[in-house]
Amino acid sequence: MGRDMTGLLRLDATAVALIGHDVALIPDAAMADPTPCDGWTVTDLLHHMNERHEAIARTALPPLEPSGDPRGDFALVAARCLAVLERAGETVTMPRLGPVSTEWVLGIHAVDMLVHRWDLARALRTTPAVPSWIAEAALPLARANTAPGGPLNGPGGPYRPPRAEERSLPPIDNLAALLGRNPHWTAPPR
C-alpha cells in the first residue's frame, strides 16, 4: 500500500472514530433536532451517513439490514465501509460513478466525516475538538474537492457551492464552509 494511501486511510479512520464516538452518545431527545443541513434532523443525518457507508460496503460485501437504530448501526456500517476501502487497491467501483481512485474516495470521505461531525456538534450545541494534524490534512483535501468545475459542488453534485474561508474561524468551521455550510449556523433554541 502506498504512502499516500496509508496516510489517507489513517486520516479517514480517525475521522470515522471521532464521529463514531459522538454518534454513540447522542441522547434520544436530540434525534429530532435540526442540523445545519437544510431540512435534516439528527436522525436524517445518521441515516444519510449509514446509507452512504453501506453503498460503499455493498461494492464488495453482502448487504447489511439496518437494525432500526441509526446510532447503533453507525459503527458497524462505517467499519464495513472502511474495510472495503482499505482492501480496494488503487480503484474502487462506486455506485453511479463506476471505477474511481480509492485515494480520491478516501479524501472525500475523511472530509465528509469531519464536516458531518461538525453538523452533529452544531445540532447538539457542542464544539467538536479536532486534532490539529487532522484539520491540517483535511483542509487541502476540502479545497481540492470543492474547486470550481469539480463534480462535487457542480450541478447535481452533493455539495452546495463553497463559502469563503475566514481566517478568524477554527479549521473545522472552514471545512464546513468549503462544503457549503454556513460556518456561523447555530441551533435554534429548544
Side-chain angles (χ1 to χ4, degrees):
M1 181 172 296
R3 185 176 194 162
D4 289 340
M5 186 79 86
T6 301
L8 285 170
L9 279 166
R10 179 176 176 235
L11 176 67
D12 195 26
T14 303
V16 168
L18 289 169
I19 193 171
H21 167 269
D22 298 349
V23 166
L25 298 176
I26 298 170
D28 290 343
M31 294 297 283
D33 285 357
T35 70
C37 305
D38 288 342
W40 281 14
T41 65
V42 169
T43 298
D44 297 328
L45 177 63
L46 295 178
H47 282 300
H48 162 73
M49 289 189 291
N50 288 346
E51 288 166 2
R52 294 294 78 222
H53 287 147
E54 188 58 17
I56 292 170
R58 279 193 313 263
T59 65
L61 299 171
L64 180 70
E65 287 296 318
S67 71
D69 176 10
R71 287 172 295 190
D73 291 343
F74 183 86
L76 177 58
V77 175
R80 287 166 46 91
C81 172
L82 287 174
V84 166
L85 291 173
E86 183 179 12
R87 295 181 188 124
E90 292 185 17
T91 62
V92 62
T93 301
M94 296 295 295
R96 298 187 304 237
L97 295 176
V100 294
S101 162
T102 304
E103 288 182 9
W104 184 69
V105 173
L106 283 166
I108 292 168
H109 189 249
V111 170
D112 279 353
M113 290 299 93
L114 291 170
V115 172
H116 285 324
R117 185 169 187 241
W118 180 90
D119 293 331
L120 182 58
R122 287 296 172 103
L124 299 176
R125 298 159 182 84
T126 63
T127 302
V130 178
S132 61
W133 75 267
I134 293 177
E136 290 169 12
L139 273 169
L141 293 169
R143 290 177 189 126
N145 293 343
T146 60
L152 299 176
N153 59 346
Y159 302 151
R160 291 180 171 227
R163 293 175 179 251
E165 294 179 65
E166 297 178 35
R167 287 181 169 229
S168 63
L169 294 178
I172 190 72
D173 290 347
N174 281 317
L175 281 173
L178 286 167
L179 270 60
R181 310 296 200 275
N182 174 356
H184 302 286
W185 189 90
T186 56
R190 286 188 176 150

